[in-house]
């Protein structure tokens, strides 16, 4: 594939695209110490492990998403027995009353019209939906399937920016199926069509030796759908609290939004 068909975006454009994302990321990172103290970091990683197993199987050698999450879990010093338990749960072992897990996907509209996509993994659909509706209502939001139209479902491969040259990553990624390559202050994000996620990630890892931070299927906001939300405003505080509560719910795996 010729690079001429994919003109390299300038760094200025890349940073501009991610500037709003970084503003909300800082709020999340500022809460990192508190989240860690509550065990939320462990919980989120273990949710990701279970979800990855349910979707793509329990063998890390055949499931690159699981491989990267397990590597992350080990760096966070999560015990092997705990990791194995999350893998078993995704395989249908150890769930409540032996009930199978179900993946759920919901759209929502939050404060200031911010759109959300919420992924859940549960053995009790009725409970999960009830909790989700209650939280959305509490924080001035509602469930709305139309919110999904503000996002695109894409594969996303993330590398540490400090460890790799952006120019090299861009060239290699585009040559092997990437639609776009973006960067923020800390990371390089490679965007691909969902069916190409695993093959592109494996190629970058095995052919070029890149160390992958994460590999996932993500709901990425469309550029023309982003909502500017001041974190210091009343809506901003309400929205931040909504995100925190959603992330702490046991059945909710991922929350995506289009706030900048």
């Amino acid at each position: 594939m010729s690079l001429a068909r994919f003109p390299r975006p300038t760094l200025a454009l890349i940073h501009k695209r991610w500037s709003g994302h970084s503003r909300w990321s800082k709020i999340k990172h500022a809460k990192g110490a508190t989240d860690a103290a509550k065990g939320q970091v462990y919980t989120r990683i273990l949710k990701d492990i279970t979800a990855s197993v349910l979707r793509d199987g329990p063998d890390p050698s055949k499931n690159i998403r699981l491989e990267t999450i397990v590597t992350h879990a080990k760096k966070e010093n999560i015990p092997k027995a705990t990791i194995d338990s999350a893998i078993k749960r995704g395989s249908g072992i150890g769930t409540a009353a032996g009930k199978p897990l179900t993946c759920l996907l919901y759209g929502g509209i939050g404060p200031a019209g911010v759109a959300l996509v919420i992924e859940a993994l549960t053995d009790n659909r009725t409970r999960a939906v009830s909790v989700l509706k209650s939280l959305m209502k509490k924080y001035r939001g509602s469930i709305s399937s139309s919110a999904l139209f503000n996002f695109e479902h894409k594969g996303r491969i993330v590398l540490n920016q400090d460890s790799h040259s952006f120019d090299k990553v861009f060239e290699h990624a585009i040559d092997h199926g990437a639609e776009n390559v973006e960067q923020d202050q800390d990371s390089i994000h490679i965007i691909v069509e969902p069916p190409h996620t695993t093959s592109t990630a494996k190629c970058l890892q095995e052919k070029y030796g890149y160390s992958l931070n994460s590999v996932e299927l993500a709901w990425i906001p469309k550029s023309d759908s982003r909502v500017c939300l001041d974190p210091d405003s009343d809506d901003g505080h309400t929205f931040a609290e909504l995100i925190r509560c959603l992330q702490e719910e046991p059945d909710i795996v991922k929350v995506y939004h289009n706030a900048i």
Side-chain angles (χ1 to χ4, degrees):
M1 184 177 294
S2 171
L3 281 175
R5 295 182 59 192
F6 294 86
R8 183 183 185 280
T10 66
L11 294 184
L13 286 176
I14 293 167
H15 285 301
K16 181 177 180 182
R17 178 167 184 174
W18 283 90
S19 60
H21 171 83
S22 297
R23 178 167 58 178
W24 277 98
S25 294
K26 288 177 183 176
I27 292 177
K28 180 178 69 175
H29 294 158
K31 294 167 69 274
T34 302
D35 286 346
K38 294 178 180 179
Q40 290 302 313
V41 172
Y42 276 28
T43 300
R44 290 173 193 170
I45 292 173
L46 295 174
K47 285 180 184 179
D48 284 344
I49 289 174
T50 300
S52 180
V53 170
L54 183 65
R55 290 165 182 159
D56 298 309
D59 185 351
S61 68
K62 298 178 181 178
N63 181 347
I64 195 167
R65 298 184 189 92
L66 178 61
E67 179 186 343
T68 58
I69 300 166
V70 169
T71 298
H72 185 196
K74 291 177 179 177
K75 288 180 179 178
E76 293 290 339
N77 296 316
I78 297 179
K80 183 178 183 300
T82 305
I83 295 172
D84 290 343
S85 178
I87 291 174
K88 288 179 180 179
R89 187 167 187 264
S91 302
I93 303 170
T95 57
K99 295 180 180 178
L101 293 171
T102 302
C103 291
L104 303 176
L105 180 71
Y106 288 94
I109 301 295
V114 174
L116 300 99
V117 176
I118 301 156
E119 292 181 346
L121 189 64
T122 182
D123 56 15
N124 188 324
R125 184 189 188 101
T126 302
R127 177 192 65 214
V129 174
S130 175
V131 169
L132 179 56
K133 287 182 176 179
S134 176
L135 282 175
M136 293 297 291
K137 182 177 180 180
K138 180 178 180 180
Y139 293 103
R140 303 203 301 266
S142 62
I143 300 297
S144 173
S145 59
S146 64
L148 296 173
F149 293 107
N150 293 286
F151 299 82
E152 294 179 300
H153 197 215
K154 298 290 184 180
R156 180 163 60 194
I157 303 161
V158 181
L159 290 71
N160 272 339
Q161 181 172 286
D162 292 343
S163 305
H164 307 291
S165 160
F166 177 82
D167 290 338
K168 283 293 185 183
V169 173
F170 181 90
E171 180 180 350
H172 293 155
I174 292 298
D175 279 346
H176 293 281
E179 288 187 343
N180 199 5
V181 184
E182 306 166 331
Q183 66 181 162
D184 58 20
Q185 293 178 345
D186 305 311
S187 308
I188 298 174
H189 298 243
I190 299 164
I191 309 301
V192 301
E193 283 294 331
H196 302 153
T197 306
T198 295
S199 60
T200 301
K202 279 188 172 294
C203 184
L204 292 172
Q205 183 182 59
E206 296 172 1
K207 184 174 181 179
Y208 300 109
Y210 291 123
S211 177
L212 309 180
N213 268 11
S214 65
V215 180
E216 64 173 342
L217 295 178
W219 290 90
I220 298 176
K222 295 177 181 177
S223 58
D224 60 353
S225 76
R226 294 180 180 269
V227 175
C228 186
L229 180 60
D230 181 357
D232 295 322
S233 67
D234 180 60
D235 281 337
H237 288 301
T238 302
F239 177 70
E241 190 65 13
L242 170 61
I243 295 298
R244 182 187 67 79
C245 289
L246 288 172
Q247 290 176 335
E248 289 180 355
E249 271 303 312
D251 288 337
I252 294 175
V253 178
K254 291 281 188 180
V255 181
Y256 303 93
H257 62 78
N258 65 344
I260 59 173

